Amino acid sequence: GGNKVTIIAFVFMALGIYLLYSGPNTGIFFQINLGLLIGIGLGGTAISVQIGEVGRHFPSSTRSMAVGIVVAMASIGYFFSPIYTKFALTEYGWEKTLETFLYFIIFGMFVAIFLRPVKKTESEKNNNRKTHDQSISEALKEAFNHRGFILLTVGFFVCGFNITLVSAHIPGYIQERGFEVWTGFAILSLIGLFNVFGTLSFGYLSGKYSKKILL
């Protein structure tokens, strides 16, 4: 179930953030906390699991709009996060800033309880049993034999690569060019803000037009 996966992932992320500001957090411990624990946490909380779980609750006619709303809410968080981060770093320092984010993650754990799976009919349960009989290698082989899966995965790679590149390097690059520190955070917030409009718009349009043409 998506709720269990989300809660477990949040636990990994919470542990990584807690250790970052409370220690040990230098050398290899920094890489374990930020790269491994928070990395695993992001794998289970960075929208993909959640939109899949939410999408199952809606018919195909309204599923795209439902998914668009979920992603738009995440984008609102992306909008406020850089603004708050800049404020908190200036006022309280990095340890207190990380501690505050830990509280948000704990709140997310409680919210994730309500991300309940769809109740399945008997025929769907039987189909699930057949799917569960697949090994991981068989499932991966089936997926990579599907052209649409490969193209979508490559598309997500490009998306994730660019977002991570921008998020990691824009603040530093902006300062090197002589702009104020807050400018880099403002750029990241604007990306989140316009992503709200983009996801809602294309969520609505995807229910009316070909998703392939929209892409």
Side-chain angles (χ1 to χ4, degrees):
N3 53 356
K4 296 183 183 70
V5 171
T6 303
I7 292 168
I8 291 169
F10 269 133
V11 169
F12 275 102
M13 193 184 293
L15 181 61
I17 287 180
Y18 174 74
L19 292 174
L20 270 177
Y21 74 81
S22 65
N25 57 12
T26 57
I28 188 65
F29 293 107
F30 179 80
Q31 297 177 50
I32 291 171
N33 298 342
L34 188 60
L36 182 64
L37 295 175
I38 293 179
I40 291 172
L42 284 171
T45 58
I47 298 298
S48 55
V49 172
Q50 291 70 38
I51 61 176
E53 198 66 57
V54 169
R56 293 189 185 97
H57 286 269
F58 294 86
S60 56
S61 57
T62 56
R63 186 174 298 146
S64 297
M65 191 65 218
V67 168
I69 291 171
V70 173
V71 180
M73 292 302 104
S75 300
I76 291 173
Y78 194 101
F79 170 67
F80 283 110
S81 178
I83 298 173
Y84 173 75
T85 301
K86 174 64 177 71
F87 167 78
L89 287 172
T90 304
E91 296 292 323
Y92 308 117
W94 65 270
E95 294 99 332
K96 191 66 178 177
T97 302
L98 282 174
E99 186 180 341
T100 306
F101 276 108
L102 179 60
Y103 298 146
F104 279 104
I105 288 168
I106 293 171
F107 174 73
M109 288 183 197
F110 289 106
V111 174
I113 295 171
F114 301 97
L115 191 66
R116 299 189 183 279
V118 178
K119 291 181 179 178
K120 294 180 174 62
T121 62
E122 196 59 40
S123 61
E124 287 172 328
K125 288 178 181 177
N126 291 332
N127 287 334
N128 270 356
R129 289 191 193 103
K130 293 176 184 176
T131 304
H132 289 161
D133 289 338
Q134 270 190 328
S135 65
I136 292 176
S137 59
E138 288 171 342
L140 288 172
K141 184 178 179 181
E142 181 184 349
F144 281 101
N145 283 330
H146 192 288
R147 181 170 171 268
F149 175 82
I150 295 171
L151 292 173
L152 192 63
T153 302
V154 172
F156 270 110
F157 169 80
V158 174
C159 174
F161 185 85
N162 280 280
I163 290 173
T164 305
L165 185 74
V166 169
S167 300
H169 296 289
I170 276 289
Y173 175 75
I174 288 297
Q175 289 180 62
E176 288 175 5
R177 302 299 294 176
F179 290 91
E180 295 289 335
V181 176
W182 64 264
T183 312
F185 291 93
I187 288 172
L188 296 178
S189 290
L190 284 172
I191 292 172
L193 178 64
F194 281 94
N195 202 43
V196 173
F197 299 113
T199 50
L200 289 176
S201 299
F202 280 92
Y204 171 76
L205 292 171
S206 293
K208 295 182 173 295
Y209 304 103
S210 166
K211 296 176 181 63
K212 183 169 72 172
I213 292 172
L214 290 172
L215 279 171

